[in-house]
Amino acid sequence: MGLGAFARAHTAVYTEDAMLAAGDFDWGIVGVTQRSDTVARQLAPQDGLFTVGERGEAAGPPRVVSSIVEAISGRDNPELVVERIAAPATRIVTLTITEKGYRFDPQIRSLDLADPEVQADLTGRPPHTAIGQIVRGLQQRALTGAGPVTVVSCDNLPGNGELTGTLVRNFAAALPEPESGPVLAWLEANVTFPCTMVDRMVPATTEGDLAAVERELGLRDEAAVVAEPFRQWVIEDNFAAGRPRWEDAGAVFSSDVGGWEATKLRLLNAGHSMLAYLGIAAGKETISDAVAVDSFRTACRRMLLEEALPSITLPAGLDGEQYCEEVLRRFANPALGHTTAKVGSDGSQKIGLRLLPTIRGTFDAGGAPTWAALAIAAWMHHVATTPATDLDDPLAAELNATLPAGREADAVVPALPGFRPIFDQDLAEHAGFRKLLLQWYRIIETNGTIDNGPAGPGNEINHG
Ligand code: CS2
């Protein structure tokens, strides 16, 4: 579920590699697009085939991936999606639907039952939400005896397996009684929700990427994607009905996926978000342009090493400092064209998960999360200075309603931490946090963030 660029460059590639390595061709992916039918329309006339072009140092040649056997527009064919989930041949449902696709309340880690789409799905219409589609599919499996199935979240959420299981149960429990009890009982016995950590930087494909792939391949491919050469997948081995031998494709099966997820979210994704908002404030179009600014790279490195790392329990054997340096190197890949606008989108869904654990952890240890607060201040500046209609965020309207009339630090900084979908009350009222935000916001407001040389304006960011 979810056929965006990431799913094509990650799940589909691992699955094809696993089939090739193990000689086990019994698998195939039915891809379901979520909000738009574009990718389904692009893939259908190509028999599901698409190219993955690698960009950057050690890039391999373009390859055509063949693991997608059907592409469905979920928005237009919700009943077909339910039918596919319910089919006895379906063994695994993977999700690459981004944070907002889960429609959950992060403070209490449960399904947002007030969400109008969730409510509408609960009334029994052909379901539009991913969680609704899964539960309706599971209900069918229970009725027809289609057998056990595994649901695998491949999104950047802490404890993504456990969370997805909770949301599925929340939806099932909210169904009217004659439906709710049986599906809940069935799923306890027949469905597993392993946790995974997924990693590969995959920007949105541009017209330029399509033209480059056409030159390399000699064919026009409307569904091509480009990605960095690096990829990683750590999976908890808890599958109810078999799985491809993803380990033969380089995936790692581990009992400490939580450690890997926290590491990746609070180092890679947190650094990414920080560079995105600093970059946006400085007019930098890509992450590689943003990380090339000395003061931004320094701020990012210091946040990772001095604030995030000490508050993470690393997976056994992982060298945290090396991981941070590798992340910074990956950010600097000039061939990728990963835009600050894309990484900075959906901030309300991301920053709470990526940055706040570091802020809480640093305060709890008696320190001051100077650099993580800079990232939050830069996000605030982005929200406050972007017209609500242009803000690429599912909660743009709610954020706009929280903003005061003035856009200066003294107005914005006291107001935004009151935004409950992101900040809890403790943090919102934390005087030290407020002070750091005020300092940074004033600096960004007065000087901007750019510092291209020793005498450039805004080099306060270097000095903290
Ligand atoms: C990025 C991620 O867009 C974003 O928010 O931080 O998509 C990032 O590129 C991936 O998680 C890398 O694995």
Side-chain angles (χ1 to χ4, degrees):
M1 307 181 76
L3 254 186
F6 179 80
R8 279 171 282 159
H10 196 269
T11 325
V13 168
Y14 272 100
T15 302
E16 179 169 78
D17 280 354
M19 290 194 286
L20 291 171
D24 171 9
F25 297 99
D26 278 352
W27 297 94
I29 299 173
V30 175
V32 177
T33 64
Q34 296 293 299
R35 280 159 299 139
S36 115
D37 63 350
T38 310
V39 181
R41 273 193 294 104
Q42 290 166 338
L43 282 170
Q46 305 183 177
D47 296 332
L49 300 171
F50 64 94
T51 311
V52 178
E54 292 189 354
R55 297 289 178 262
E57 227 175 274
R63 64 181 278 187
V64 176
V65 178
S66 64
S67 50
I68 295 182
V69 296
E70 186 183 24
I72 301 174
S73 164
R75 189 194 63 190
D76 303 317
N77 305 285
E79 277 142 333
L80 186 58
V81 176
V82 173
E83 202 178 294
R84 290 291 181 272
I85 294 173
T90 300
R91 303 303 181 86
I92 301 170
V93 179
T94 58
L95 293 101
T96 44
I97 57 175
T98 79
E99 297 86 344
K100 67 182 166 214
Y102 290 80
R103 298 172 188 273
F104 77 111
D105 177 341
Q107 303 294 358
I108 49 173
R109 285 176 74 81
S110 63
L111 192 64
D112 183 0
L113 293 171
D115 181 301
E117 294 291 322
V118 172
Q119 279 181 355
D121 281 2
L122 281 166
T123 64
R125 72 166 181 190
H128 292 184
T129 67
I131 299 294
Q133 289 168 342
I134 291 173
V135 174
R136 295 302 183 188
L138 297 182
Q139 276 184 299
Q140 286 290 322
R141 291 186 83 91
L143 283 174
T144 59
V149 70
T150 307
V151 178
V152 189
S153 165
C154 301
D155 285 295
N156 293 318
L157 300 160
N160 57 9
E162 190 196 297
L163 176 70
T164 306
T166 301
L167 305 183
V168 163
R169 290 183 183 93
N170 292 156
F171 187 98
L175 288 169
E177 185 34 56
E179 290 185 76
S180 157
V183 69
L184 277 170
W186 187 85
L187 78 87
E188 285 321 318
N190 293 283
V191 188
T192 57
F193 299 91
C195 270
T196 63
M197 185 282 277
V198 294
D199 191 5
R200 187 170 208 183
M201 293 176 194
V202 189
T205 314
T206 64
E207 192 41 53
D209 294 327
L210 293 184
V213 167
E214 185 169 2
R215 281 195 300 276
E216 287 168 285
L217 206 65
L219 285 170
R220 180 72 181 176
D221 176 355
E222 296 294 345
V225 293
V226 295
E228 64 173 338
F230 180 96
R231 61 183 153 104
Q232 196 174 31
W233 198 6
V234 184
I235 315 171
E236 184 189 355
D237 203 354
N238 178 22
F239 285 73
R243 58 168 177 78
R245 286 186 54 87
W246 282 314
E247 60 271 52
D248 292 351
V252 173
F253 284 86
S254 162
S255 54
D256 181 23
V257 179
W260 280 101
E261 277 187 307
T263 301
K264 194 243 168 182
L265 267 169
R266 298 193 213 168
L267 297 173
L268 185 145
N269 293 116
H272 230 182
S273 289
M274 178 192 220
L275 290 168
Y277 299 119
L278 290 173
I280 288 170
K284 301 291 178 192
E285 208 173 308
T286 63
I287 295 292
S288 62
D289 287 345
V291 79
V293 177
D294 285 344
S295 56
F296 294 177
R297 193 174 52 256
T298 304
C300 186
R301 176 177 278 124
R302 293 192 66 176
M303 175 177 81
L304 302 186
L305 294 175
E306 296 170 23
E307 299 171 357
L309 254 192
S311 61
I312 302 170
T313 309
L314 293 173
L318 183 74
D319 181 324
E321 288 181 23
Q322 240 173 42
Y323 185 94
C324 294
E325 292 307 330
E326 188 177 14
V327 159
L328 288 164
R329 257 198 311 279
R330 289 169 59 200
F331 289 159
N333 181 346
L336 199 57
H338 211 172
T339 63
T340 48
K342 181 76 179 29
V343 177
S345 67
D346 295 351
S348 69
Q349 313 292 301
K350 295 174 178 171
I351 64 163
L353 307 174
R354 298 175 176 197
L355 292 158
L356 298 189
T358 293
I359 291 178
R360 291 194 191 95
T362 309
F363 276 133
D364 288 350
T370 305
W371 304 104
L374 167 60
I376 301 283
W379 168 76
M380 287 181 162
H381 188 260
H382 172 60
V383 169
T385 56
T386 307
T389 44
D390 294 348
L391 190 70
D392 190 355
D393 193 301
L395 299 184
E398 290 84 345
L399 281 164
N400 191 49
T402 307
L403 282 169
R407 291 298 191 257
E408 65 285 355
D410 291 313
V412 172
V413 173
L416 274 184
F419 191 68
R420 278 295 163 273
I422 302 179
F423 303 97
D424 61 35
Q425 195 163 347
D426 277 1
L427 214 46
E429 289 170 2
H430 194 294
F433 184 44
R434 186 80 54 107
K435 194 170 150 218
L436 286 170
L437 292 174
L438 255 184
Q439 274 172 4
W440 282 125
Y441 199 102
R442 285 195 182 121
I443 289 171
I444 297 172
E445 195 176 30
T446 319
N447 303 293
T449 54
I450 191 68
D451 171 17
N452 272 328
N459 56 12
E460 288 83 351
I461 284 181
N462 265 335
H463 308 135

